[in-house]
Amino acid sequence: MALVGNMIHDAIGGNPSIVNYVMFVAVISMLSLFYLIAATINEGFVIIPILPVVVDGLNTLFFLIGGIALAAYLGVHSCGNVPYINTNSVTSGSTDDTKRCHEGQAVCAFLWFGFLTYLASLAFSAMEARGGSTSFRGGIRRGGPSMSQV
């Protein structure tokens, strides 16, 4: 979020839409994490059992779209390539285009990392909403008496 905010702050003549979209993704992710962390700690915050799955699914989708779109806009060139930096819509438009290029590439990497973490969170939320257990210690007899109860 800070990298994108810095890209927006350093812009001279506005930003391309992808930079604004990535900031939207970061803000929505931060806001949804408040709910998801609270719902994980206390099940009383889970209003509808499917809601954490929906929130994780939307975050996964937003991060995937942002990662694909930003990578396409950046074109994955070296930040030392001056003609590339000056002609790319994401990297040009600030007082220090090389810095903006590095920030854009770092944001792209963070988007892909966020996508993978939200994908894992989505899998765990789906297992929990389905009524299954997210612990991997279960055996064949789930719900039956354990040895300490016999």
Side-chain angles (χ1 to χ4, degrees):
M1 185 171 189
L3 285 172
V4 181
N6 194 32
M7 287 176 70
I8 291 172
H9 179 265
D10 290 344
I12 293 172
N15 290 297
S17 60
I18 187 62
V19 175
N20 296 327
Y21 176 76
V22 171
M23 188 62 170
F24 162 78
V25 170
V27 170
I28 291 296
S29 175
M30 294 294 283
L31 292 176
S32 66
L33 278 176
F34 287 130
Y35 169 73
L36 290 172
I37 290 172
T40 302
I41 293 172
N42 185 358
E43 288 186 11
F45 288 112
V46 178
I47 301 162
I48 303 169
I50 198 75
L51 191 58
V53 177
V54 170
V55 172
D56 277 334
L58 286 173
N59 279 324
T60 304
L61 183 66
F62 289 154
F63 271 81
L64 176 66
I65 292 169
I68 291 172
L70 186 59
Y73 270 82
L74 285 174
V76 192
H77 289 280
S78 171
C79 290
N81 186 354
V82 177
Y84 159 71
I85 292 174
N86 292 334
T87 59
N88 189 296
S89 64
V90 176
T91 59
S92 64
S94 79
T95 56
D96 190 359
D97 290 341
T98 304
K99 176 184 150 198
R100 188 173 167 103
C101 177
H102 287 295
E103 288 172 345
Q105 289 180 347
V107 167
C108 189
F110 281 125
L111 283 170
W112 285 108
F113 177 75
F115 164 71
L116 292 176
T117 56
Y118 271 118
L119 188 63
S121 178
L122 176 64
F124 286 121
S125 293
M127 283 191 285
E128 187 67 31
R130 196 177 54 156
S133 174
T134 55
S135 67
F136 297 107
R137 293 184 359 203
I140 295 173
R141 292 187 48 131
R142 289 189 188 157
S146 63
M147 288 303 291
S148 64
Q149 296 174 342
V150 175

